[in-house]
Amino acid sequence: MIILLKHEATEAHAKEILKQISSLDLKPLYMPGIERTVLGAIGDERKIAQLHLENHPMIESITPILSPYKLVSRELYPEDTIVNIENIPFGGNNFTVIAGPCAIESEEQLRKTAKIVKEAGAHCLRGGAFKPRTSPYSFQGHGLNGLKILEKISQEFSIPSITEVIEVQDVKDVEKYASAFQIGARNMQNFRLLKAVGQSQKPVILKRGISATVKELLLAAEYIVSEGNPNVILCERGIRTYETATRNTLDLSAIPYIKEHCHLPVIVDPSHGTGIRSFVEPMSKAAVACGADGIMIEVHYNPKIALSDGQQTLFPEQFNELMINLKPFIKAAGKKYSGDQQQ
Amino acid sequence: MIILLKHEATEAHAKEILKQISSLDLKPLYMPGIERTVLGAIGDERKIAQLHLENHPMIESITPILSPYKLVSRELYPEDTIVNIENIPFGGNNFTVIAGPCAIESEEQLRKTAKIVKEAGAHCLRGGAFKPRTSPYSFQGHGLNGLKILEKISQEFSIPSITEVIEVQDVKDVEKYASAFQIGARNMQNFRLLKAVGQSQKPVILKRGISATVKELLLAAEYIVSEGNPNVILCERGIRTYETATRNTLDLSAIPYIKEHCHLPVIVDPSHGTGIRSFVEPMSKAAVACGADGIMIEVHYNPKIALSDGQQTLFPEQFNELMINLKPFIKAAGKKYSGDQQQ
Amino acid sequence: MIILLKHEATEAHAKEILKQISSLDLKPLYMPGIERTVLGAIGDERKIAQLHLENHPMIESITPILSPYKLVSRELYPEDTIVNIENIPFGGNNFTVIAGPCAIESEEQLRKTAKIVKEAGAHCLRGGAFKPRTSPYSFQGHGLNGLKILEKISQEFSIPSITEVIEVQDVKDVEKYASAFQIGARNMQNFRLLKAVGQSQKPVILKRGISATVKELLLAAEYIVSEGNPNVILCERGIRTYETATRNTLDLSAIPYIKEHCHLPVIVDPSHGTGIRSFVEPMSKAAVACGADGIMIEVHYNPKIALSDGQQTLFPEQFNELMINLKPFIKAAGKKYSGDQQQ
Amino acid sequence: MIILLKHEATEAHAKEILKQISSLDLKPLYMPGIERTVLGAIGDERKIAQLHLENHPMIESITPILSPYKLVSRELYPEDTIVNIENIPFGGNNFTVIAGPCAIESEEQLRKTAKIVKEAGAHCLRGGAFKPRTSPYSFQGHGLNGLKILEKISQEFSIPSITEVIEVQDVKDVEKYASAFQIGARNMQNFRLLKAVGQSQKPVILKRGISATVKELLLAAEYIVSEGNPNVILCERGIRTYETATRNTLDLSAIPYIKEHCHLPVIVDPSHGTGIRSFVEPMSKAAVACGADGIMIEVHYNPKIALSDGQQTLFPEQFNELMINLKPFIKAAGKKYSGDQQQ
C-alpha cells in the first residue's frame, strides 16, 4: 500500500502513521521527497484496512498494490475453471449457448420456444419467472408458477434451465426448480442475495451491473465464492454510457480483462447488451472472437407478441441461422460447441 | 404515442397496426410522408403497452407522449407535498438536515455523534445498521443490534432516526426501531423492497441509483406510492460518470428537474455525492440555492477512526460551522431551518 | 417532425404553430389528445428547422422523423462504398490493416518499423508528425520534417501512408506528403478542419470523438462529403465511460450500427480503444467478427523506447502473430485481406 | 513516482529499472514485497517521463506523485488570481456576469440584446461570430462581419465583448475586435489554438470539454499560461453523461475542486450546462453558492426567433429577474457584483 501525504503534512504526521503501520507487524517505508512525502506498508493489505488511513486529513491518496479479490483471481488459480450446469460445461474449449424467452408467459409459450432453441442446438433454456421492471405498471412475471412451468419444460426437453432470482426468500424455490441461478444486473451488488446463492452449490450466472466496473463484478463473484459456492459464471451484458444508439454499450474488452485476471468462465448477453435484434448476430460473433465462453440469447417463438424485451428477441429462424453462422468463428477461436465431439 | 415506421414498411403494415390500435378503443392516426410513415395512438398509453408494438419488425421507434409515472407527477398534484418524519417536516419552506455516522459502530460512538449533531441543530439522526459493501472483506454493519442502539439513542436525544433497509425480510425490524426507512442507491431498483416499504406508512428516503436517470428515480418512487405509502422523500446523491476527481458527480440539475415534474420533497447527500470532506460545505450551499428541501450529511465524533466512508465524514467542528454558514443561503432561498419560527 | 406541446398549451398556441408550418408549404397535422396535444409537420425537415420551433415556450419536445445526415446515409446509397488509399481498397469484402508507430520519432525508427509491418502483411503505414498531447510538457511531434520522413519511407517500402492533420493550415502539407488524412478523435468536431479536408480528394480516416455518439460521427462525415470529398473511412476507437480498467471502452456495437445506417467503410483501432497491449489481438478478432472493414494498429520496432503510447504498442513478433491469427476469422467473416486473391 | 511491477517480474527486472532511474540523478527506491515489488523514483517527475517506463512489459502501473500541471497550480501560487477583461475584474470577491445571444445574427439583434443585458446589470457581452455546429446544414455564424458588429455594439454600450475563436488563423481578427477570447468546449484540447491564444495577452475564457476531466481542463489552461498568457478564466459548462433529462450534466463539484487546486478564476455556464431555460436561474444560484466567480448566460431580445440554442436562452424579463434574485446569494457568499462598491 502506497500512501501519498498532502503537501502540508509534517514529519510528525508521517511518523504517527508509520507507527500505526508498524503496530500491525507490517513493514513501514518512509520516502520523503522535495515536494511530497510518500509512505509505504508492505504486507497483507487487508490487515491495514482496519487502520482506516483513508480518513486521515493529512493523507491525499492511498494506492493499493494487490487486487481486492482473491479467490476468483487468476494469480491464485492460474488454470481455467470449468463450471457445469447439470451436464453442460462452461469454460475451457467449450462454447455454450443459453437461449429462451425474456419472461415465462405461459406453458405453451415456453414449450414452443424450448422446442425451437433445443432443435437449433442451444445447450440451456432461460426464462424469467420473477421480472424486475422499471415501471410498476409493467408485467412482473408469474413467480412460483413460472418456476414450475420452467421445471416441467426443462424435463420435457432434457435441457438445463436458468432463471433469475431477485430476492433472498425465493432462493430455496429457485434452487428447487431450476438448474442454475441467474443474478441480474440490478442485483449484482445485492450482497445479501449474493451470500444466499453462495450458500447453495447450484451454479450462478452473475451478470455485470449496468454501471459496475469489471473490478466490482469480480468482487461480487468473490462474495459468492467466499461463501462456499465456486460455481460462478460471469456475464457481460452492456453498461450504461452516454451513447443512445444502442440500449447499452456492450463492453467486450471486459472479456480479455476478465480472462487475464480471473479463472472463472465468462459469457456475453448481446440481446440486452445492444437491445436491437439485428445486432445480436454480429455481436455474438464478436463475443466468440474475443474469447467469451458462451452467449445468452433472447428467443421467442413469436417475438411480436412477447410481453417484455420483444424488440431485442430473435425470431426462430434468426436463432437457427445464428447457431449455424457462429460455427466457423467458434472453430477459428479453437473452440467447439459444448458437447460436440470434434473441435 | 407516436409510432415511426421503417423506410421499408408498406401501407399494409400501417393498416395492420392501426387496426390493433382501434381494437383498444384508442384513436388511431395515419400520417403518410414522402420518406416515412408516422402513426399515432391517442388515449391511455398504458393501455396500448399491452400491444407490445415495440416488438414489431416494421416499427423503427415509439415515442410516448405522457410521462410513465403518474402518482408522483406534479401534473396530477400541482402542490408541494410535505412529508413528516415524526414531528420533522420535509418540503414546503422547510430546510431539513439529517446527520450522523455512515455506520453505527457502537452505542458510545452513536451517542457521542448524536450529541454533536443535535446540539449543532440537525433535525434527524442517520446511521447504518445494515451496510452494503463492495468487498466481502469490509465491515458489514451490526444488523439488528445496530437498530436497537439507534432506537435507544434516538429516544435519548429526542431526534428521529433514519436507517437503511437492504432486504425485504428486515423491513419489519427497521419499521419497529427507526423513524424512517432509507432505500440506498444500490437498491433503488430492488422492486420487491420498494413494494415492501410501500406497504408501510413510515416515511421512505429514496436515494437515486448510481446510474439511474431522474425518470427512473421517479418511477421507483411510483412503485412505493402505488403500494399505498405516499411519504416518500427523494435524495440526489451523485451519479457515476467518467470523472474521477470526485467519488461521484453530484447532479444538482436533478433538483429543478424533480421540482418541475414531481410534488415530493427532494434532498441532497453531498457526502456521498462528492466523497471529499472539504467539498461538503460548498455543495450543501449549492443544494440550498438550487431548491433542495434538505441535506443528509455524514458526521462522526472522530472521523479518523470511522469504520467506513471516513474520508467524506465531517469533523464535529466542521458540521457546526456548516449549520451556521448555511443560514444566509437558506434565508436567501426564502426558506428556514425545519422547526424554526422566523423565516 | 412530431411536436409535443406542453400541458398548459392552448388551442391558440397550436394554431399559431400550425400556421407557421403551413407557411413553409409543409403539411401540418393537428392531434389534440386528452392530456396533451401533438402536432406534426410532413415534408423536408431541414426546411422546418428555420422556424426554430425548439425555442417556443409552449413546446415540450420535438422528435425528428428523418436522420439528420443524408449523403452518408444508406437510405440514399444502399450499396457499400469502397474507398481506395492509393491502390489499397477499404470496404466490400476486403479486410485492410493499417500499422505503424504512434509518432514518427526518427527516420531510422520509421524505416525499421515500416519494414516489420510491411513484411508481416500490413497494407498501409501510419505515423504521426503532429501529435496532440494532453500535457504541454509531452513530445509534440516533428511536424513538417516528420511528414517528409513519412513520404520517404512510404516510397521506399511501396506502402501508402496515413498521418493525422490537426490544423487547417497544415492541410496542404499533409495532402502533399501523405496518402491519406487522419482526423483524430479530438478534432472530430473541428468543423473548419472537416471542411478543409472535404475540399481535397485524398481519402480521410475520420476517428470517432472520445465522447461522440455514432450519429455525431456520421454528421461529421457528412461535413466532409458535403464539401465534395466522398472518400471517407470511419474509425471506431473507443469512448470515454466510467470504466477505468481499459483506457477507453471500445464500442464495437457501433460497427453494425454504422453498417446498417451508412454506406462508408468503417475500421477499428483497438490500440487506443483498449490502451493495453495484450487486448489488441482479441479485440482485433472481435472487430473482424462484427463486420469491420479493417483495423489500425500501433506497432514499434521497440515499444520499450517509444516516445508515446508505448504501453499499447505491439512488439514486432506480436504484430506478426496477429496478422496470422486474424486469418481464420477474416475467412469466417467471408472476407479476405485487402489485395489477396483467394477469399 | 511509484512503480508497481507485475507478479512475474524478477529482481533483475527491478535492478534494470532502478539503474535507469539512477542515471537521471533521481533517487531510486526498492521495496520488495511478498507478492509484488514496488519501486520509487524521487525527484522531478517530468525528467523521468523521458524514460517511458509505461512501455515496459514488466511494469503493471505507474502512479505519479505530483500533479502534471504547475503554473496554474495553487501549490505554486496560493493566492487567488484576478483576471481583468478590460476594466471588469473576475475573481477575488467579485461576481461577474457575461450575457448575450448564442450567435450574432444581425446588428439590430445584438444592439437590442446588448441594451437589455447592460441595463439589467451584465458586465460583459457575449455573442458568437464563428459557430461550431454539429450539422453542416445549421447556421454557421457571420464570421468576420460578426466580429465587426460585436466591436461596434460593445463600444456603443461601453461593455467588454467576448467571442469564440475556433481556428488559429482567426486569432488575430478576434484579438483585434473583441475584448477576450472564448475557447469552446470542442476546442479545449485543440492544442495549437491554445498555444496561439497563449501568445496573446488578451484574456481567455477556457470552457471545459464535454468529456474532459477537471485535470485535463487544468492541463489545457497550463498550455495557455506556459506560452506566456496568464489571463485565463476557466468555465464549467456541463459534461456528457448517460442522463438525458438535461442537455449536459452540470458538474458543480468541479468548482470547489478547481478552487482547491488552482488559483485562476472559474465561472459557470448554466445555459449550456442544462440546456433548459427554466433551470438557468436555480443553477446560477447554485454556482454562486459553491464558490464560482461568475456566470455566462444566453439571453436574446426574442428567444423565439433565435437561430441557435433558443430553448436555453432567457427572455429579457427572465434575465432581469435573475440579476435581482442572485443578489442575496452573492451576499451570502461574501461577494458582490463586479464593480459594485458595497459588498
Side-chain angles (χ1 to χ4, degrees):
Chain A
M1 190 165 272
I2 301 299
I3 300 151
L4 176 61
L5 298 190
K6 286 197 177 159
H7 191 240
E8 58 268 36
T10 62
E11 205 184 320
H13 290 119
K15 285 195 173 156
E16 169 209 334
I17 294 163
L18 290 169
K19 208 173 141 192
Q20 288 184 275
I21 292 169
S22 301
S23 73
L24 295 172
D25 279 332
L26 295 167
K27 195 177 152 194
L29 284 158
Y30 181 48
M31 298 165 270
I34 297 152
E35 300 186 47
R36 295 295 182 92
T37 290
V38 177
L39 307 179
I42 305 297
D44 184 349
E45 295 196 335
R46 266 174 269 145
K47 218 167 166 186
I48 208 177
Q50 63 187 270
L51 292 180
H52 292 284
L53 290 175
E54 69 278 8
N55 303 344
H56 199 291
M58 281 300 138
I59 290 179
E60 179 145 322
S61 69
I62 293 179
T63 308
I65 294 174
L66 303 178
S67 65
Y69 46 86
K70 195 167 172 176
L71 300 173
V72 304
S73 159
R74 202 176 269 280
E75 283 191 21
L76 201 64
Y77 298 104
E79 298 299 308
D80 279 4
T81 288
I82 292 181
V83 174
N84 291 290
I85 298 186
E86 312 256 344
N87 59 332
I88 303 292
F90 285 73
N93 72 339
N94 300 289
F95 192 82
T96 315
V97 179
I98 303 167
C102 178
I104 299 167
E105 297 166 10
S106 70
E107 192 178 317
E108 191 208 356
Q109 171 247 18
L110 193 63
R111 180 175 293 114
K112 283 185 178 171
T113 306
K115 188 168 186 299
I116 288 158
V117 303
K118 174 81 180 182
E119 286 178 3
H123 307 96
C124 297
L125 178 67
R126 61 155 287 159
F130 304 102
K131 300 302 304 170
R133 302 300 298 275
T134 304
S135 164
Y137 307 116
S138 298
F139 172 59
Q140 313 267 326
H142 287 308
L144 183 59
N145 209 37
L147 290 180
K148 290 177 183 170
I149 294 173
L150 182 63
E151 189 193 35
K152 188 174 176 187
I153 301 296
S154 162
Q155 290 174 349
E156 215 170 296
F157 292 92
S158 299
I159 185 167
S161 65
I162 290 149
T163 199
E164 185 169 353
V165 59
I166 61 173
E167 173 55 45
V168 171
Q169 63 204 31
D170 299 329
V171 167
K172 287 285 166 228
D173 283 337
V174 174
E175 191 173 35
K176 183 174 169 195
Y177 293 108
S179 312
F181 298 104
Q182 180 184 310
I183 301 286
R186 289 189 184 83
N187 283 308
M188 192 203 84
Q189 292 197 320
N190 184 335
F191 303 115
R192 288 280 194 93
L193 189 57
L194 298 181
K195 286 182 183 174
V197 298
Q199 283 154 16
S200 170
Q201 285 301 307
K202 285 230 165 162
V204 182
I205 296 183
L206 176 65
K207 293 189 118 179
R208 180 179 183 184
I210 200 172
S211 67
T213 63
V214 270
K215 279 181 196 164
E216 288 167 345
L217 173 62
L218 296 181
L219 274 164
E222 185 89 1
Y223 258 95
I224 299 171
V225 177
S226 67
E227 289 289 321
N229 185 350
N231 302 307
V232 178
I233 299 163
L234 304 169
C235 182
E236 160 62 31
R237 46 77 71 212
I239 59 174
R240 184 165 270 187
T241 70
Y242 68 83
E243 176 60 82
T244 55
T246 42
R247 183 176 176 181
N248 294 292
T249 297
L250 190 67
D251 178 17
L252 287 182
S253 307
I255 306 303
Y257 184 93
I258 290 169
K259 286 286 167 198
E260 198 165 301
H261 293 86
C262 172
H263 55 84
L264 297 171
V266 56
I267 64 173
V268 170
D269 174 351
S271 303
H272 286 88
T274 67
I276 296 170
R277 198 178 280 139
S278 60
F279 294 4
V280 170
E281 181 168 321
M283 300 318 286
S284 294
K285 291 172 178 170
V288 174
C290 69
D293 298 305
I295 48 175
M296 184 186 286
I297 305 288
E298 288 191 346
V299 186
H300 191 290
Y301 78 94
N302 181 5
K304 278 193 191 175
I305 60 164
L307 294 184
S308 54
D309 282 350
Q311 70 282 16
Q312 70 196 30
T313 297
L314 294 193
F315 284 85
E317 60 275 20
Q318 288 178 315
F319 180 65
N320 209 35
E321 276 170 35
L322 171 68
M323 290 300 288
I324 294 165
N325 296 343
L326 279 182
K327 272 198 177 170
F329 290 92
I330 293 171
K331 201 181 160 203
K335 294 191 178 172
K336 58 179 185 61
Y337 271 133
S338 216
D340 280 10
Q341 290 309 315
Q342 89 289 19
Q343 187 178 310
Chain B
M1 189 167 274
I2 301 298
I3 300 153
L4 176 60
L5 298 189
K6 286 196 178 161
H7 192 239
E8 58 268 34
T10 63
E11 205 184 318
H13 290 120
K15 284 194 174 156
E16 170 210 333
I17 295 163
L18 290 170
K19 207 174 140 190
Q20 288 184 276
I21 292 168
S22 300
S23 74
L24 295 172
D25 280 332
L26 295 166
K27 195 179 154 194
L29 284 159
Y30 180 48
M31 298 166 266
I34 298 152
E35 302 184 45
R36 297 293 183 92
T37 290
V38 177
L39 307 179
I42 306 297
D44 185 348
E45 294 194 336
R46 267 174 269 147
K47 217 168 168 186
I48 208 177
Q50 63 187 272
L51 292 180
H52 292 284
L53 290 176
E54 68 279 8
N55 305 343
H56 199 292
M58 282 300 136
I59 290 178
E60 179 146 320
S61 68
I62 294 179
T63 309
I65 294 174
L66 303 178
S67 66
Y69 45 85
K70 195 166 170 174
L71 301 173
V72 305
S73 159
R74 201 175 271 280
E75 283 190 23
L76 202 65
Y77 299 104
E79 297 301 307
D80 280 3
T81 288
I82 292 181
V83 173
N84 290 290
I85 298 186
E86 312 257 344
N87 59 331
I88 302 292
F90 286 72
N93 73 339
N94 300 288
F95 192 81
T96 316
V97 180
I98 303 167
C102 178
I104 299 166
E105 298 166 10
S106 70
E107 193 177 316
E108 191 207 356
Q109 171 247 21
L110 193 63
R111 181 174 291 112
K112 282 185 178 172
T113 308
K115 188 169 187 297
I116 288 158
V117 302
K118 173 82 180 182
E119 287 179 3
H123 307 97
C124 298
L125 177 67
R126 60 155 286 158
F130 305 100
K131 298 303 304 170
R133 302 300 297 274
T134 303
S135 165
Y137 308 116
S138 298
F139 172 61
Q140 312 268 325
H142 287 309
L144 183 59
N145 208 36
L147 290 181
K148 289 178 182 168
I149 293 174
L150 182 63
E151 188 194 35
K152 188 174 177 185
I153 301 298
S154 163
Q155 289 173 350
E156 217 171 293
F157 291 92
S158 300
I159 185 168
S161 64
I162 290 149
T163 199
E164 186 170 353
V165 59
I166 61 173
E167 174 55 45
V168 171
Q169 62 203 34
D170 299 330
V171 167
K172 287 284 165 228
D173 282 338
V174 173
E175 191 174 33
K176 183 175 168 193
Y177 292 109
S179 312
F181 297 103
Q182 180 184 312
I183 300 286
R186 288 189 185 83
N187 284 308
M188 191 202 85
Q189 292 197 321
N190 184 334
F191 302 116
R192 288 279 194 93
L193 189 57
L194 298 181
K195 286 181 184 175
V197 299
Q199 284 154 15
S200 169
Q201 286 301 307
K202 284 228 165 164
V204 182
I205 295 184
L206 176 65
K207 293 187 119 180
R208 181 179 181 183
I210 199 173
S211 67
T213 62
V214 268
K215 278 181 196 164
E216 288 169 344
L217 174 62
L218 296 181
L219 273 165
E222 185 89 2
Y223 258 96
I224 300 171
V225 177
S226 67
E227 288 290 320
N229 185 349
N231 302 307
V232 178
I233 298 163
L234 304 169
C235 181
E236 160 63 30
R237 46 78 72 210
I239 60 174
R240 184 166 269 189
T241 71
Y242 68 84
E243 176 60 84
T244 55
T246 42
R247 181 176 178 182
N248 294 294
T249 297
L250 192 67
D251 177 18
L252 287 182
S253 307
I255 306 303
Y257 184 92
I258 290 169
K259 285 287 168 199
E260 198 165 301
H261 293 86
C262 173
H263 56 84
L264 297 171
V266 55
I267 65 173
V268 170
D269 173 351
S271 303
H272 286 88
T274 66
I276 297 170
R277 197 178 280 138
S278 60
F279 294 4
V280 170
E281 181 168 321
M283 298 318 286
S284 294
K285 291 173 178 169
V288 174
C290 70
D293 297 305
I295 47 175
M296 184 185 289
I297 304 288
E298 288 193 346
V299 186
H300 192 291
Y301 78 93
N302 181 5
K304 278 194 192 177
I305 59 164
L307 294 184
S308 56
D309 284 349
Q311 71 281 16
Q312 70 196 31
T313 297
L314 294 193
F315 284 85
E317 61 275 23
Q318 287 177 314
F319 180 66
N320 208 33
E321 275 170 35
L322 172 68
M323 290 299 287
I324 293 165
N325 294 344
L326 279 182
K327 271 199 178 171
F329 290 92
I330 294 170
K331 202 181 160 201
K335 293 191 179 173
K336 58 176 185 61
Y337 272 133
S338 217
D340 280 10
Q341 291 310 317
Q342 91 286 20
Q343 185 177 312
Chain C
M1 189 165 272
I2 302 299
I3 300 152
L4 176 61
L5 298 190
K6 286 195 177 159
H7 192 240
E8 58 268 37
T10 63
E11 205 184 320
H13 290 121
K15 285 196 174 155
E16 170 210 334
I17 295 163
L18 290 168
K19 206 173 143 192
Q20 288 184 276
I21 293 169
S22 301
S23 73
L24 295 171
D25 279 333
L26 295 167
K27 194 178 152 194
L29 284 158
Y30 180 48
M31 298 164 272
I34 297 153
E35 301 186 47
R36 296 296 183 91
T37 291
V38 177
L39 307 179
I42 306 298
D44 184 349
E45 294 195 335
R46 265 173 270 146
K47 217 167 167 185
I48 208 178
Q50 61 185 272
L51 292 179
H52 293 284
L53 290 175
E54 70 277 9
N55 304 343
H56 199 291
M58 282 300 136
I59 290 179
E60 179 145 321
S61 69
I62 294 178
T63 308
I65 295 174
L66 303 178
S67 66
Y69 46 85
K70 194 167 172 177
L71 300 173
V72 305
S73 160
R74 202 175 271 278
E75 283 191 22
L76 201 64
Y77 299 104
E79 299 299 308
D80 279 5
T81 289
I82 292 181
V83 173
N84 291 290
I85 298 186
E86 311 255 343
N87 59 331
I88 302 292
F90 286 71
N93 72 338
N94 300 289
F95 192 82
T96 316
V97 179
I98 303 167
C102 178
I104 299 166
E105 298 167 8
S106 70
E107 192 178 316
E108 191 208 357
Q109 171 248 19
L110 193 62
R111 180 175 292 112
K112 283 185 178 173
T113 306
K115 189 168 185 299
I116 288 158
V117 302
K118 173 81 180 182
E119 287 178 3
H123 307 97
C124 297
L125 177 68
R126 61 154 288 158
F130 304 102
K131 299 303 304 171
R133 302 300 298 275
T134 304
S135 164
Y137 307 116
S138 299
F139 172 61
Q140 313 268 322
H142 287 309
L144 183 58
N145 209 36
L147 289 180
K148 290 176 182 170
I149 293 173
L150 181 64
E151 188 194 35
K152 189 174 176 185
I153 300 297
S154 161
Q155 290 174 349
E156 217 171 293
F157 291 93
S158 299
I159 185 167
S161 65
I162 290 149
T163 200
E164 185 169 351
V165 58
I166 61 173
E167 173 56 44
V168 171
Q169 63 204 31
D170 299 329
V171 167
K172 287 284 166 226
D173 282 337
V174 174
E175 191 174 34
K176 184 175 169 195
Y177 292 108
S179 313
F181 298 103
Q182 180 184 309
I183 300 287
R186 287 190 186 83
N187 283 308
M188 191 202 85
Q189 292 197 321
N190 184 335
F191 302 115
R192 288 280 193 93
L193 189 57
L194 298 180
K195 286 182 183 175
V197 299
Q199 284 154 16
S200 170
Q201 284 302 306
K202 285 228 166 165
V204 182
I205 295 183
L206 176 65
K207 293 187 119 179
R208 181 179 181 183
I210 199 172
S211 67
T213 63
V214 269
K215 279 183 196 164
E216 288 168 344
L217 173 62
L218 296 181
L219 274 166
E222 185 90 1
Y223 258 97
I224 300 171
V225 177
S226 68
E227 288 290 320
N229 186 350
N231 302 307
V232 177
I233 298 164
L234 304 170
C235 181
E236 160 63 31
R237 45 78 70 210
I239 60 174
R240 183 164 270 186
T241 71
Y242 68 84
E243 176 60 82
T244 55
T246 42
R247 184 176 176 181
N248 295 293
T249 297
L250 191 67
D251 178 16
L252 287 182
S253 308
I255 306 303
Y257 183 93
I258 290 169
K259 285 288 169 197
E260 198 166 301
H261 293 87
C262 173
H263 56 84
L264 296 172
V266 55
I267 64 173
V268 170
D269 173 351
S271 304
H272 286 88
T274 66
I276 296 171
R277 199 178 280 138
S278 60
F279 294 3
V280 171
E281 181 169 320
M283 299 318 286
S284 294
K285 291 171 178 171
V288 174
C290 69
D293 297 305
I295 47 175
M296 184 185 286
I297 305 288
E298 288 192 345
V299 186
H300 192 289
Y301 79 94
N302 182 4
K304 279 194 191 175
I305 60 165
L307 294 183
S308 55
D309 283 348
Q311 71 281 15
Q312 70 196 33
T313 297
L314 294 193
F315 284 85
E317 60 276 20
Q318 288 178 314
F319 180 65
N320 208 35
E321 277 170 36
L322 172 67
M323 291 299 286
I324 293 165
N325 295 343
L326 279 182
K327 271 197 179 173
F329 290 93
I330 294 171
K331 202 182 159 200
K335 293 191 178 174
K336 59 178 185 61
Y337 272 134
S338 216
D340 280 9
Q341 291 308 316
Q342 90 289 20
Q343 187 178 311
Chain D
M1 189 167 273
I2 301 299
I3 300 153
L4 176 62
L5 298 190
K6 286 194 176 160
H7 192 240
E8 58 268 35
T10 63
E11 205 184 320
H13 289 122
K15 284 196 175 157
E16 171 210 333
I17 296 163
L18 290 169
K19 208 174 140 190
Q20 288 185 277
I21 292 169
S22 300
S23 74
L24 294 171
D25 279 334
L26 295 167
K27 193 178 155 194
L29 283 159
Y30 181 48
M31 298 166 268
I34 297 154
E35 302 185 46
R36 297 295 183 91
T37 291
V38 177
L39 308 179
I42 306 297
D44 185 348
E45 295 195 336
R46 264 173 271 147
K47 218 169 169 187
I48 207 177
Q50 63 187 271
L51 292 180
H52 292 284
L53 291 175
E54 70 279 8
N55 303 343
H56 199 291
M58 282 299 136
I59 289 179
E60 179 146 321
S61 69
I62 294 178
T63 310
I65 294 174
L66 303 178
S67 66
Y69 45 85
K70 196 167 170 175
L71 300 173
V72 305
S73 160
R74 201 174 271 279
E75 283 190 23
L76 201 66
Y77 298 104
E79 297 300 308
D80 279 3
T81 288
I82 292 180
V83 173
N84 290 291
I85 298 185
E86 311 259 343
N87 59 330
I88 303 292
F90 286 72
N93 73 339
N94 300 290
F95 192 82
T96 316
V97 179
I98 303 167
C102 178
I104 300 166
E105 298 166 9
S106 69
E107 191 178 318
E108 192 206 354
Q109 171 246 21
L110 193 63
R111 180 175 292 112
K112 283 185 177 172
T113 306
K115 189 169 187 298
I116 287 158
V117 302
K118 173 80 180 183
E119 287 178 4
H123 307 97
C124 297
L125 178 68
R126 61 155 287 159
F130 304 101
K131 298 305 303 172
R133 302 300 298 274
T134 303
S135 165
Y137 308 115
S138 298
F139 172 60
Q140 311 268 325
H142 287 308
L144 183 59
N145 208 36
L147 290 180
K148 289 178 182 169
I149 293 173
L150 182 63
E151 188 194 34
K152 188 173 175 186
I153 301 297
S154 161
Q155 288 173 351
E156 217 171 293
F157 291 93
S158 299
I159 185 168
S161 65
I162 290 149
T163 199
E164 186 170 352
V165 60
I166 60 173
E167 172 56 44
V168 171
Q169 63 203 32
D170 299 330
V171 167
K172 287 285 165 226
D173 282 338
V174 174
E175 191 174 34
K176 183 175 167 193
Y177 292 109
S179 312
F181 298 104
Q182 180 184 311
I183 301 286
R186 288 189 186 82
N187 284 307
M188 192 203 84
Q189 292 197 320
N190 184 335
F191 302 115
R192 288 280 194 91
L193 189 57
L194 297 181
K195 286 181 184 175
V197 299
Q199 284 154 15
S200 169
Q201 285 302 305
K202 284 228 165 163
V204 181
I205 295 182
L206 176 66
K207 293 188 119 179
R208 181 179 182 183
I210 199 172
S211 66
T213 63
V214 268
K215 279 183 197 164
E216 288 169 344
L217 173 62
L218 296 181
L219 273 166
E222 185 90 2
Y223 259 96
I224 300 171
V225 177
S226 68
E227 289 289 321
N229 185 350
N231 302 307
V232 178
I233 298 163
L234 304 169
C235 181
E236 160 61 31
R237 46 78 71 210
I239 60 174
R240 183 166 270 188
T241 71
Y242 67 85
E243 176 60 83
T244 55
T246 42
R247 184 176 176 181
N248 295 292
T249 297
L250 191 67
D251 178 17
L252 286 182
S253 307
I255 306 304
Y257 183 92
I258 291 169
K259 285 287 167 199
E260 198 165 301
H261 293 86
C262 172
H263 56 83
L264 296 171
V266 55
I267 65 173
V268 170
D269 174 351
S271 304
H272 286 87
T274 66
I276 296 170
R277 197 178 281 139
S278 59
F279 294 4
V280 170
E281 181 168 321
M283 299 318 287
S284 294
K285 291 173 178 170
V288 174
C290 69
D293 298 305
I295 47 175
M296 185 185 288
I297 305 289
E298 287 191 348
V299 186
H300 191 290
Y301 79 93
N302 181 6
K304 279 194 193 177
I305 59 164
L307 294 184
S308 55
D309 284 347
Q311 71 281 16
Q312 69 196 32
T313 298
L314 295 193
F315 283 85
E317 60 276 21
Q318 288 177 313
F319 181 66
N320 208 34
E321 276 170 35
L322 172 68
M323 291 298 288
I324 293 165
N325 295 344
L326 279 181
K327 271 197 176 172
F329 290 92
I330 294 170
K331 202 182 161 201
K335 294 190 178 174
K336 59 177 185 61
Y337 272 132
S338 216
D340 280 11
Q341 290 310 316
Q342 89 289 20
Q343 187 179 314

